[in-house]
Amino acid sequence: MLMNYSSATEFYLLGFPGSEELHHILFAIFFFFYLVTLMGNTVIIMIVCVDKRLQSPMYFFLGHLSALEILVTTIIVPVMLWGLLLPGMQTMSLSACVVQLFLYLAVGTTEFALLGAMAVDRYVAVCNPLRYNIIMNRHTCNFVVLVSWVFGFLFQIWPVYVMFQLTYCKSNVVNNFFCDRGQLLKLSCNNLFTLFTEFILFLMAVFVLFGSLIPTIVSYAYIISTILKIPSSSGRRKSFSTCASHVTCVVIGYGSYLFLYVKPKQIQAAGYNRVVSLMVSVVTPFLNPFIFTLRNDKVIEALRDGVKRCCQLFRN
């Protein structure tokens, strides 16, 4: 722990409180979640690339969303698992902390941009079905995905750069299992500059989250209005089923990030931060493959056919 006003060059991640036995139990649980997340999202990417029935914009976006889920959990979870196995606190250099925080925020920003694009895609599919293939053509989809990735990574350069221009002299112990922005701000001794930085980060978080949430809300307002005009109940059910997975993903994703980042004051209780961070980096990536497969007949059929082909290959 720092006792003078020289800035920290490395940080100690406090991780999870509790005994060594509890840490081993948490390691087994999170390792299981991580493996399932990797396998589930990788399978979605593979079937989207291979199966001709899934060659549409909706599944093209889903493949990229799955890639982002793999990235966001891989940025956080391996470090967290290693910390659970180590006795005491885990050491992380300043440069490693910069890289982890930047990748985590950049991937998260890209994911929200993509979720907004997926909402607009569902709007076109439900409200303008005859023009869907013209509007959401291959060039449009490639452009949307490229813009989402570039925007996500460029947008987070300045916030992360500013974060590590602060002087961390109060302590170098981060009360979380990764380099959490809120906890890092708590360690800074640049009081006025820290307050200003917090306010700018708050405005940027509002811009990212609400900038993608507003198109989502508007799109679903039109979608619900269109679905309610469909005369048959089976038609309404079929139309809504194409959006149900995306709605579920939006509710979980936006809910977690809103609690974590959209507050004027980023410094908050460590326990609260830890729980919400687990939702973002572990639980949500784990649930998404199930959300997008269990309610989607085409994906289930593609999975079933893929399993049959694999079994035939092994038999031969």
Side-chain angles (χ1 to χ4, degrees):
M1 185 175 294
L2 297 179
M3 299 303 293
N4 53 36
Y5 280 82
S6 61
S7 187
T9 57
E10 63 179 19
F11 295 96
Y12 294 95
L13 305 182
L14 198 57
F16 295 88
S19 63
E20 187 176 342
E21 290 76 15
L22 177 61
H23 284 188
H24 291 161
I25 294 171
L26 291 175
F27 176 87
I29 294 171
F30 295 144
F31 184 67
F32 170 75
F33 273 48
Y34 182 55
L35 286 182
V36 173
T37 299
L38 291 182
M39 290 188 293
N41 285 288
T42 301
V43 167
I44 288 177
I45 294 170
M46 291 175 61
I47 62 172
V48 166
C49 292
V50 172
D51 199 290
K52 293 181 179 179
R53 289 167 294 187
L54 304 182
Q55 301 300 307
S56 69
M58 174 183 174
Y59 299 106
F60 177 71
F61 293 140
L62 176 58
H64 280 271
L65 182 65
S66 295
L68 288 167
E69 297 289 21
I70 290 174
L71 284 175
V72 75
T73 194
T74 300
I75 291 164
I76 301 297
V77 174
V79 175
M80 178 181 69
L81 293 176
W82 182 243
L84 287 170
L85 291 179
L86 292 175
M89 292 183 288
Q90 184 180 7
T91 305
M92 181 174 281
S93 67
L94 179 63
S95 58
C97 209
V98 171
V99 171
Q100 186 188 54
L101 183 60
F102 172 71
L103 291 176
Y104 176 68
L105 294 175
V107 170
T109 303
T110 304
E111 188 169 339
F112 283 116
L114 192 60
L115 285 172
M118 291 174 74
V120 175
D121 170 71
R122 291 298 84 208
Y123 158 75
V124 177
V126 174
C127 301
N128 296 280
L130 298 179
R131 300 181 59 199
Y132 180 67
N133 291 329
I134 297 172
I135 298 172
M136 301 302 296
N137 56 59
R138 182 178 293 274
H139 295 295
T140 301
C141 294
N142 287 334
F143 177 76
V144 168
V145 166
L146 179 62
V147 169
S148 297
W149 281 88
V150 171
F151 169 74
F153 278 76
L154 290 181
F155 189 80
Q156 292 298 337
I157 291 175
W158 183 85
V160 174
Y161 171 79
V162 170
M163 280 292 304
F164 290 94
Q165 297 307 304
L166 299 173
T167 302
Y168 299 101
C169 59
K170 292 181 180 178
S171 173
N172 57 351
V173 178
V174 178
N175 195 357
N176 210 329
F177 52 83
F178 74 109
C179 281
D180 173 39
R181 187 166 72 185
Q183 294 300 305
L184 287 173
L185 285 169
K186 192 175 180 180
L187 305 181
S188 172
C189 55
N190 308 79
N191 294 326
L192 290 176
F193 187 61
T194 300
L195 289 174
F196 173 75
T197 302
E198 281 188 277
F199 180 67
I200 297 299
L201 294 176
F202 166 72
L203 292 180
M204 295 183 74
V206 168
F207 175 78
V208 169
L209 291 176
F210 287 96
S212 57
L213 184 59
I214 289 172
T216 301
I217 292 172
V218 173
S219 296
Y220 276 103
Y222 281 104
I223 288 170
I224 291 170
S225 176
T226 302
I227 290 175
L228 292 176
K229 294 176 183 177
I230 298 174
S232 66
S233 59
S234 60
R236 290 194 296 269
R237 194 181 305 111
K238 183 178 179 181
S239 296
F240 185 74
S241 67
T242 64
C243 308
S245 299
H246 179 258
V247 171
T248 307
C249 184
V250 164
V251 170
I252 296 173
Y254 280 93
S256 300
Y257 275 95
L258 282 169
F259 280 114
L260 191 58
Y261 289 118
V262 183
K263 299 176 296 298
K265 195 164 183 64
Q266 295 278 316
I267 301 169
Q268 58 212 334
Y272 173 92
N273 247 20
R274 195 178 288 110
V275 171
V276 182
S277 299
L278 280 174
M279 281 291 298
V280 171
S281 59
V282 179
V283 179
T284 302
F286 170 79
L287 291 177
N288 274 357
F290 299 102
I291 292 170
F292 282 101
T293 56
L294 295 179
R295 297 185 61 87
N296 193 304
D297 294 335
K298 283 188 177 181
V299 175
I300 291 173
E301 289 176 8
L303 284 171
R304 189 182 297 119
D305 292 345
V307 172
K308 287 180 181 178
R309 291 194 196 99
C310 290
C311 292
Q312 289 174 355
L313 287 174
F314 282 119
R315 288 173 184 173
N316 295 335

